[in-house]
Amino acid sequence: SHISYTQSLGPSMWEEDRYLHMMRIRQKVLDHARFRGIRYVFFVDTDNFLTNPDTLSVLVRSGKTIVGPMLKVDKTTAYSNYWAGMTAGGYYKSVPEYFDILHRKTTPGTHSVPMVHSTLLIDLHGEHADKLKYFPIDPAYTGPIDDIIHFALTAQTLGIPMFIDNQADYGFLLSRKEFNTVSEEVVGFQEYLVDVLIPEVAPQSLPASEFLGNTLPEPDIMGFDEIYMISL
């Protein structure tokens, strides 16, 4: 069903009701997995692109209760799906260790971090994992109303460490841009998809699915004698 967020000025603005809705959705996944006796839950945001077919196997073999594959926007952008530092109040904290992990200045492998988000594997058979939750929020909780922060602080309270794995190229994630309309967000998504499909740009381009046919039209000049592109 369609949900309207009256306080949001656009699709990029996340206010409290929107975070609470996301927390309830993620909690339903955990509840369903526990009810069915499922051991692993693998969360992947829709704007994340996994290109390494061994990603899930590597994460399972790590034996960690919470672990995510390090994803990048591109070769130069510093944004990724983990935090290396967090304040006592649950907010992002910039620390040098972030770039050591991002650029693999430390030995590649699994690194303990206070936050992993967007794409992560949860082992529900891990120690204290039965108490992990996104929702409801405890009355004593004083941190931000945010699904990833609440989950990270809950894990921290339970003594469950989070890990990010940077030993391989696992994929990409969409950069955090401010889109004023859904149409702008769709265009941004499509442009980024094209970027990661180009082998010269991406360290490991997205493989073409065997289930998708070639739907691209044959190139032509649209009835013109010549077409020129000018880059300004």
Side-chain angles (χ1 to χ4, degrees):
S1 61
H2 177 72
I3 297 177
S4 177
Y5 302 101
T6 56
Q7 297 179 11
S8 293
L9 300 179
S12 295
M13 180 180 176
W14 281 69
E15 39 85 47
E16 187 171 300
D17 286 345
R18 203 166 182 177
Y19 280 114
L20 289 171
H21 179 62
M22 181 58 67
M23 293 164 78
R24 293 187 183 98
I25 290 175
R26 294 188 186 276
Q27 184 61 41
K28 283 184 179 180
V29 174
L30 294 183
D31 291 343
H32 179 73
R34 286 167 176 148
F35 176 76
R36 297 290 299 273
I38 296 170
R39 177 170 182 175
Y40 295 102
V41 172
F42 190 36
F43 285 109
V44 183
D45 282 4
T46 56
D47 56 359
N48 289 194
F49 305 88
L50 297 179
T51 59
N52 190 327
D54 297 323
T55 300
L56 193 52
S57 297
V58 171
L59 298 181
V60 170
R61 287 198 301 266
S62 73
K64 307 299 185 185
T65 301
I66 305 174
V67 60
M70 187 178 75
L71 306 178
K72 292 186 175 183
V73 174
D74 51 41
K75 293 181 180 180
T76 59
T77 305
Y79 181 73
S80 187
N81 60 316
Y82 68 94
W83 297 359
M86 179 187 285
T87 67
Y91 291 95
Y92 177 83
K93 181 180 179 181
S94 180
V95 294
E97 289 78 9
Y98 179 89
F99 296 96
D100 293 340
I101 296 172
L102 185 71
H103 301 305
R104 299 189 177 99
K105 293 180 180 179
T106 57
T107 303
T110 51
H111 301 272
S112 179
V113 292
M115 165 72 77
V116 176
H117 61 86
S118 300
T119 293
L120 66 155
L121 179 74
I122 303 172
D123 180 358
L124 294 177
H125 287 186
E127 187 176 6
H128 304 307
D130 59 316
K131 298 180 178 64
L132 280 171
K133 66 175 183 177
Y134 284 94
F135 193 84
I137 300 173
D138 291 330
Y141 178 77
T142 57
I145 303 300
D146 181 301
D147 55 311
I148 65 172
I149 295 177
H150 180 254
F151 183 74
L153 291 178
T154 299
Q156 193 177 103
T157 301
L158 294 171
I160 302 175
M162 288 184 162
F163 293 88
I164 191 73
D165 189 311
N166 72 341
Q167 63 183 308
D169 292 321
Y170 294 110
F172 311 89
L173 72 168
L174 194 66
S175 61
R176 287 293 181 259
K177 296 180 179 178
E178 292 296 325
F179 299 103
N180 295 316
T181 66
V182 174
S183 297
E184 288 182 10
E185 191 165 6
V186 170
V187 171
F189 195 98
Q190 292 171 336
E191 290 176 348
Y192 187 70
L193 183 60
V194 171
D195 288 341
V196 299
L197 282 171
I198 302 174
E200 290 76 12
V201 176
Q204 186 175 4
S205 59
L206 286 173
S209 172
E210 59 182 285
F211 302 104
L212 297 177
N214 183 11
T215 58
L216 296 176
E218 290 294 325
D220 60 47
I221 56 175
M222 300 181 292
F224 296 99
D225 296 328
E226 296 288 346
I227 295 179
Y228 298 93
M229 183 180 72
I230 300 175
S231 179
L232 301 178

